[in-house]
Amino acid sequence: MAVQQVFPLSCVVQHYAWGKMGSNSEVARLLASSDPQARISEDKPYAELWMGSHPRGDAKILDNCISQKTLGQWIAKNQDCLGSKVKDTFNGKLPFLFKVLSVETALSIQAHPNKELAEKLHLQAPQHYPDANHKPEMAIALTSFQGLCGFRPIEEIVTFLTKVPEFRFLIGDNAATQLKKSMNSDSQSVASALQSCFSHLMKSEKKVVVEQLNLLVKRISQQVAAGNNMEDIYGELLLQLHQQYPGDIGCFAIYFLNLLALKPGEAMFLEANVPHAYLKGDCVECMACSDNTVRAGLTPKFIDVPTLCEMLSYIPSKDRLFLPTRSLEDPYLSIYDPPVPDFTVMRMEVPGSITEYKVLAVDSASIVLVVQGRVTASSPTVQTPIPLQRGGVLFIGANESVSLKLAAPDDLLMFRACCLL
Ligand SMILES: [Zn+2]
């Protein structure tokens, strides 16, 4: 009998303080739906669900016939399940970590180093940069999801410099003037002017930041109280961030970075050196296996402003939505394939009128999350079909095709992470 290549997983919840509380959290709701034993504490944040073999959150195997307890242990013994190219390229490890995030309060303003910088940072400061790998990330909205991503077009930043004098004060007249002048110039001048402005802001003295932020908060609050609309300077968001992180320099980042409001199914891709922050909502996220994050605000964690200012891509752009492509083989499949080797995410949306659906075999290990619907899964190496409902997570070994029987009338929504080399 061939080794069983498909089995359900019980995944690890991380209760970080920024997560949504109790059953407000999609993470908690998925958990409660898939596991009737799970008790959700309404006074606890359910921030992340980790679907993978990371040592700090190795998924448990829900199958007593398999002798290994966790996915990491199983993969160590069954290397072929990774797929031949993946096994060789990533030294016998699953190259990605798949997650669900439920964000209540903003996560830090951050960027992730490319491989070259990651190696350097890890060598210089391993206590802050725990490994030598890059960490590209992709977030796909499950509910409406708000985040900051990449630098805004220069015209927008220049407009904020006029409309928000507190912001201009921190940047200073010289840098602000230089940015305005760069508007009709080449991309090199734009990048250098933008870097100068952003660095001035981030390196402002704490005392001055607090003063200017208090002035801005007071001004917005008074205008709002008087019934005036302050949305041209994102008044509501500024007040909200200031409430979450009083006096934090990161509150001003909304005037530099694009504000994205993703609808379910829409995605953003965070390549190396792109500044970003998740603000609110639920998403699935996939990332390369790494913990390297350079932070500079909206966080109580270690911040490294000089490294962040130095490393960022100072490329203004409005287009930050990452678009999936439609599969030619499968009308229900959308593929989010970022320009990095480490991972690809697929979204499968199958109408309830379909009774049977085949999950395509790929030359990579996969992890599948059921967000909506009920199925039973069978494959050549599985003896008894595996029932899965909303919140269910399935591991699929490389080159294994899985057929799903849908329980009518529910539509089926699933996400799959894999590595297509
Ligand atoms: Zn990030």
Side-chain angles (χ1 to χ4, degrees):
M1 178 79 198
V3 175
Q4 184 179 337
Q5 295 286 326
V6 178
F7 44 81
L9 298 170
S10 164
C11 297
V12 175
V13 173
Q14 307 286 7
H15 299 276
Y16 305 137
W18 49 259
K20 289 190 183 179
M21 299 297 272
S23 45
N24 279 328
S25 161
E26 180 69 355
V27 168
R29 291 193 296 252
L30 289 168
L31 187 71
S33 161
S34 67
D35 177 6
Q37 316 276 43
R39 291 223 178 241
I40 304 304
S41 315
E42 293 302 329
D43 55 356
K44 233 177 167 181
Y46 289 73
E48 298 191 351
L49 184 71
W50 286 24
M51 301 172 283
S53 57
H54 193 287
R56 283 196 288 116
D58 197 1
K60 284 199 193 69
I61 294 175
L62 291 177
D63 189 325
N64 295 330
C65 302
I66 296 173
S67 57
Q68 290 83 14
K69 292 276 172 289
T70 71
L71 183 60
Q73 293 165 4
W74 189 87
I75 289 174
K77 284 273 173 339
N78 297 278
Q79 296 268 291
D80 288 339
C81 78
L82 290 171
S84 53
K85 283 191 230 160
V86 176
K87 183 177 102 181
D88 293 344
T89 309
F90 296 99
N91 302 315
K93 296 227 161 63
L94 195 65
F96 56 82
L97 178 58
F98 198 25
K99 293 182 178 178
V100 178
L101 266 61
S102 289
V103 182
E104 178 62 33
T105 55
L107 276 74
S108 54
I109 309 282
Q110 55 181 249
H112 306 290
N114 58 23
K115 276 201 172 143
E116 195 189 343
L117 179 62
E119 281 167 22
K120 198 176 127 203
L121 292 172
H122 177 57
L123 209 64
Q124 287 170 351
Q127 71 278 27
H128 300 309
Y129 302 106
D131 59 77
N133 199 13
H134 68 166
K135 194 196 183 203
E137 296 172 325
M138 187 162 56
I140 306 171
L142 286 174
T143 60
S144 60
F145 188 80
Q146 206 181 35
L148 300 172
C149 177
F151 284 102
R152 293 175 177 277
I154 297 296
E155 308 80 70
E156 293 185 13
I157 302 172
V158 167
T159 304
F160 288 127
L161 284 169
T162 312
K163 288 188 171 174
V164 189
E166 301 83 357
F167 175 53
R168 188 185 174 102
F169 185 89
L170 293 172
I171 282 164
D173 280 335
N174 282 345
T177 310
Q178 194 199 341
L179 187 70
K180 196 170 180 183
K181 273 193 195 148
S182 79
M183 264 160 72
N184 301 314
S185 198
D186 58 294
S187 60
Q188 189 61 49
S189 318
V190 167
S192 119
L194 189 52
Q195 176 161 12
S196 163
C197 283
F198 189 72
S199 305
H200 269 100
L201 175 74
M202 298 313 286
K203 291 171 185 171
S204 301
E205 220 182 306
K206 176 77 183 173
K207 185 172 149 277
V208 187
V209 172
V210 173
E211 278 169 13
Q212 293 301 317
L213 194 52
N214 285 341
L215 284 175
L216 178 57
V217 165
K218 195 172 160 196
R219 184 160 70 86
I220 293 173
S221 307
Q222 285 171 345
Q223 292 293 326
V224 170
N228 294 324
N229 186 320
M230 297 300 281
E231 280 321 284
D232 60 335
I233 60 164
Y234 295 106
E236 202 181 322
L237 179 59
L238 192 284
L239 294 184
Q240 185 190 313
L241 290 176
H242 180 257
Q243 196 176 34
Q244 294 173 7
Y245 298 94
D248 193 301
I249 184 69
C251 297
F252 285 104
I254 59 175
Y255 301 127
F256 270 118
L257 306 180
N258 290 294
L259 178 65
L260 264 71
L262 303 181
K263 296 193 276 290
E266 289 183 337
M268 58 175 145
F269 172 60
L270 294 327
E271 63 194 315
N273 302 327
V274 170
H276 60 278
Y278 295 159
L279 299 181
K280 197 166 187 147
D282 309 277
C283 69
V284 291
E285 190 193 43
C286 201
M287 62 182 62
C289 274
S290 163
D291 284 324
N292 286 321
T293 300
V294 184
R295 299 182 179 85
L298 302 183
T299 182
K301 291 186 187 169
F302 171 72
I303 66 171
D304 188 347
V305 171
T307 302
L308 190 87
C309 291
E310 179 69 22
M311 73 191 268
L312 292 181
S313 303
Y314 291 95
I315 304 169
S317 165
K318 191 95 195 136
D319 301 324
R320 291 293 176 176
L321 271 191
F322 187 83
L323 299 175
T325 54
R326 280 271 172 190
S327 164
L328 298 173
E329 295 164 78
D330 176 348
Y332 308 117
L333 175 62
S334 306
I335 304 169
Y336 303 76
D337 190 16
V340 290
D342 312 72
F343 60 84
T344 296
V345 178
M346 299 176 176
R347 186 180 88 234
M348 291 156 280
E349 242 182 317
V350 187
S353 55
I354 303 287
T355 53
E356 211 164 329
Y357 175 74
K358 225 180 185 70
V359 178
L360 296 174
V362 293
D363 188 22
S364 161
S366 308
I367 291 179
V368 173
L369 165 72
V370 178
V371 174
Q372 192 192 325
R374 272 180 306 134
V375 295
T376 47
S378 40
S379 89
T381 61
V382 169
Q383 278 177 318
T384 320
I386 302 163
L388 284 171
Q389 49 195 343
R390 170 169 152 77
V393 179
L394 197 65
F395 175 84
I396 305 176
N399 304 306
E400 186 83 351
S401 71
V402 175
S403 70
L404 302 178
K405 273 204 165 48
L406 276 72
D410 299 357
D411 293 342
L412 180 64
L413 174 63
M414 300 185 298
F415 288 89
R416 176 189 200 179
C418 58
C419 175
L420 303 178
L421 293 176

